Amino acid sequence: MDHFDWSTPFPEGVISFLDTDLYKLTMQSAVFKYYPDVPVTYAFTNRTPEKKLSRKAFSWLCEQIYKLGNISLSDDELRYLQTHCKYLSPQYLEFLKEFRLKPREQLNPTFKPIGADTGAEDELGDIHIDIKGKWVDTILYEIPLLALTSEAYFKFMDADWSYDGQEQKAYDKGMRLLEAGCIFSEFGTRRRRDYHTQALVFRGLVKSSKDAEKHGLPGKLSGTSNVHLAMRFNLPPVGTVAHEWFMGIAAITDDYPNATEEALRRWIGCFGEGVLGIALTDTFGTPEFLKAFSKPIRYLPDTPNILLMDEGERPTTSSRTYAEVYAGVRQDSGDPANFVKLMREFYDKQGIKEKKTIVFSDSLNIEKCIEYKRISEEQGFQPTFGVGTFLTNDFVQLSTGKKSVPLNIVIKLSSAAGNPAIKISDNIGKNTGDSKKVAEVKKLLGYVEKEWAGGDETSRWGKADDVVQP
């Protein structure tokens, strides 16, 4: 049940320690266990560079960023995590109780005017945010910084919109997905218009879910990746892992042919088999991932929940592969139809008959969800969908009726342990990191370059002159 007081003024900025996506907490837990002292840096990229901030917007953004240092985990939030996220270890939760972000030490936001630097409030410029510190101390910045940057843009630069109809719009989208039999969750924290929008959207989705249940519709709302919203509605949060986990381990070891297996091994080492078991495949290209996925699991000494051998000893290897143990995979770049075909061929070749899940999460809308559901089910998979920006940043400009286009901004790990961190993905438009290192790793891994017609990162959610259909 949602106990939030909706009559209070709309909250500004990030209002809770848990106002983030679950996978940042799960990854921080794993980093806390295995890499507590590794130094890292992160890079901020605006893939829609025509969208700039004014100096006034940048000043507001800085103010909100520095407020992040005042947020800590409340007793209620701790109890929620203990109840709903039992895979988070007591040691990690003890660490989290005392944890604080230190933005004045770890962040350096800068504003670069596009013309002469006059100091005027309405002067436009490009922003950049440098992030530096230990991995375990800085891993939580990504989601709030992206959400705050988006909020700053739509508070100061494009304010020609309103909240009116957002809850109903989300309800209608939810009903269409549920009628089509889709299992989906809300993944939209990082590029939301603001927190209030996301809360309205999720309330609309929860209403659609309740009505769908009453009418016996086949779909299901599985939750939200936003831990604070999940807590408000007394639901478990949704999520597993991001590219960052694979990128960080590859950079630390500088052993790209073995880094994917090491990342899978340490994930199971932290959480155990069958827990948080959706694997992200595309960090260094899905074909490279599948080489590691097909290997038998090698246990680390302190892997939880492992059955002992007859002699009472802990096994060092499993008779099962990572592919057998993981419930499924997440598709986040490239052509989804090709991905489904590739995964079917892979599981068949491995002799795996169990029905596996594919989670789709790459710039989805209703039509894409329905299409990907069909092609997945035809190949014997259980499809689910993580729908983000389409839900939490879908607005029209009041004066023109045209689309109010979201920013496409990302923050990615750029180095770990002094080595560059990169991501290749299954679509050239999503390559990130040092270009020389990207080229070197592609050559080393025998990566085959891929482009996809649907993968234009500059207009993933429409263009400014798009007319919105009623």
Side-chain angles (χ1 to χ4, degrees):
M1 180 65 190
D2 175 22
H3 297 296
F4 189 72
D5 182 0
W6 291 82
S7 66
T8 57
F10 304 140
E12 186 177 63
V14 172
I15 64 168
S16 159
F17 187 85
L18 296 186
D19 184 13
T20 191
D21 285 336
L22 176 65
Y23 68 15
K24 298 307 290 194
L25 299 181
T26 55
M27 288 192 296
Q28 188 187 38
S29 175
V31 171
F32 172 73
K33 181 170 183 175
Y34 290 118
Y35 304 104
D37 297 313
V38 171
V40 299
T41 60
Y42 292 81
F44 174 96
T45 303
N46 183 1
R47 292 173 176 162
T48 39
E50 74 282 359
K51 296 184 182 299
K52 302 185 187 300
L53 292 188
S54 65
R55 192 181 293 279
K56 184 177 182 182
F58 175 71
S59 297
W60 177 89
L61 176 61
C62 289
E63 184 184 318
Q64 296 301 321
I65 285 172
Y66 295 135
K67 282 182 181 177
L68 295 174
N70 303 329
I71 298 174
S72 60
L73 192 71
S74 73
D75 291 344
D76 283 348
E77 290 170 337
L78 175 63
R79 279 191 292 274
Y80 171 81
L81 294 177
Q82 288 169 331
T83 303
H84 289 279
C85 307
K86 293 189 184 297
Y87 41 79
L88 298 176
S89 71
Q91 296 90 337
Y92 169 65
L93 291 177
E94 277 298 313
F95 161 80
L96 214 55
K97 272 165 62 176
E98 305 303 323
F99 181 78
R100 302 289 186 279
L101 293 168
K102 298 174 182 174
R104 291 185 186 276
E105 297 173 22
Q106 296 157 336
L107 304 185
N108 181 28
T110 53
F111 179 81
K112 186 180 178 184
I114 56 174
D117 188 350
T118 64
E121 279 198 331
D122 60 355
E123 189 169 46
L124 298 182
D126 294 308
I127 69 159
H128 189 73
I129 306 171
D130 286 311
I131 306 167
K132 188 182 291 187
K134 286 183 182 177
W135 197 5
V136 74
D137 293 334
T138 55
I139 193 169
L140 297 187
Y141 277 119
E142 176 193 2
I143 304 300
L145 290 182
L146 291 173
L148 288 170
T149 304
S150 178
E151 184 173 350
Y153 184 83
F154 290 104
K155 188 179 182 70
F156 294 94
M157 310 312 298
D158 175 4
D160 186 17
W161 56 274
S162 87
Y163 296 112
D164 294 349
Q166 279 293 306
E167 188 176 338
Q168 183 63 42
K169 187 186 277 192
Y171 175 90
D172 294 342
K173 289 174 181 175
M175 290 303 288
R176 284 184 63 194
L177 288 167
L178 294 161
E179 284 164 1
C182 293
I183 300 171
F184 72 100
S185 54
E186 183 272 306
F187 265 28
T189 307
R190 65 184 51 227
R191 296 189 187 99
R192 69 191 183 193
R193 193 135 300 202
D194 57 14
Y195 178 85
H196 186 64
T197 299
Q198 190 177 13
L200 287 171
V201 162
F202 194 62
R203 189 163 73 162
L205 294 176
V206 169
K207 284 182 181 175
S208 72
S209 176
K210 287 175 180 172
D211 286 354
E213 213 173 310
K214 281 182 205 164
H215 294 96
L217 298 182
K220 183 187 176 189
L221 172 67
S222 50
T224 172
S225 61
N226 186 292
V227 188
H228 187 252
L229 278 175
M231 179 178 164
R232 272 177 58 179
F233 286 86
N234 198 29
L235 298 165
V238 177
T240 50
V241 71
H243 300 102
E244 178 177 354
W245 179 243
F246 297 87
M247 292 167 70
I249 291 173
I252 291 162
T253 62
D254 200 25
D255 179 8
Y256 281 81
N258 295 302
T260 297
E261 184 191 358
E262 191 64 17
L264 292 170
R265 185 184 183 213
R266 288 183 184 256
W267 195 254
I268 286 177
C270 187
F271 300 108
E273 291 184 7
V275 180
L276 301 171
I278 296 294
L280 185 55
T281 68
D282 66 333
T283 310
F284 308 117
T286 295
E288 180 64 23
F289 171 85
L290 295 179
K291 292 177 192 173
F293 209 39
S294 63
K295 293 179 180 177
I297 298 168
R298 294 183 301 124
Y299 295 124
L300 288 154
D302 54 355
T303 300
N305 310 321
I306 299 301
L307 290 175
L308 300 179
M309 295 188 290
D310 291 341
E311 305 80 25
E313 293 180 11
R314 293 179 64 86
T316 56
T317 58
S318 171
S319 59
R320 298 195 297 167
T321 65
Y322 294 98
E324 288 175 280
V325 166
Y326 272 77
V329 293
R330 177 154 75 93
Q331 193 272 343
D332 195 54
S333 65
D335 186 333
N338 287 348
F339 180 85
V340 170
K341 188 178 170 207
L342 178 66
M343 291 310 305
R344 182 72 276 149
E345 289 169 356
F346 170 79
Y347 283 121
D348 288 349
K349 191 176 176 184
Q350 295 291 310
I352 296 173
K353 306 295 185 193
E354 180 192 347
K355 190 170 192 174
K356 295 292 186 178
T357 296
I358 297 181
V359 180
F360 295 91
S361 59
D362 186 20
S363 309
L364 300 177
N365 58 27
I366 291 167
E367 290 72 25
K368 287 178 182 176
C369 290
I370 293 170
E371 181 193 348
Y372 302 164
K373 177 178 183 291
R374 178 184 59 78
I375 60 178
S376 300
E377 289 176 344
E378 283 173 358
Q379 294 289 351
F381 290 108
Q382 173 60 65
T384 71
F385 305 92
V387 188
T389 310
F390 173 69
L391 291 171
T392 60
N393 207 330
D394 185 15
F395 288 80
V396 297
Q397 292 183 331
L398 299 176
S399 60
T400 65
K402 292 184 177 178
K403 188 167 181 64
S404 175
V405 181
L407 279 75
N408 187 351
I409 47 179
V410 294
I411 291 173
K412 293 291 180 189
L413 196 69
S414 54
S415 75
N419 297 321
I422 62 159
K423 175 169 80 99
I424 296 174
S425 88
D426 290 331
N427 170 31
I428 195 168
K430 282 194 163 186
N431 289 181
T432 58
D434 180 79
S435 56
K436 187 178 172 188
K437 189 68 178 179
V438 168
E440 177 193 316
V441 173
K442 282 181 177 179
K443 188 175 179 183
L444 176 68
L445 300 180
Y447 178 85
V448 178
E449 203 63 74
K450 294 180 183 68
E451 290 192 54
W452 174 48
D456 179 2
E457 291 300 318
T458 63
S459 56
R460 296 314 300 267
W461 300 286
K463 296 181 178 177
D465 57 356
D466 287 351
V467 177
V468 177
Q469 300 299 318

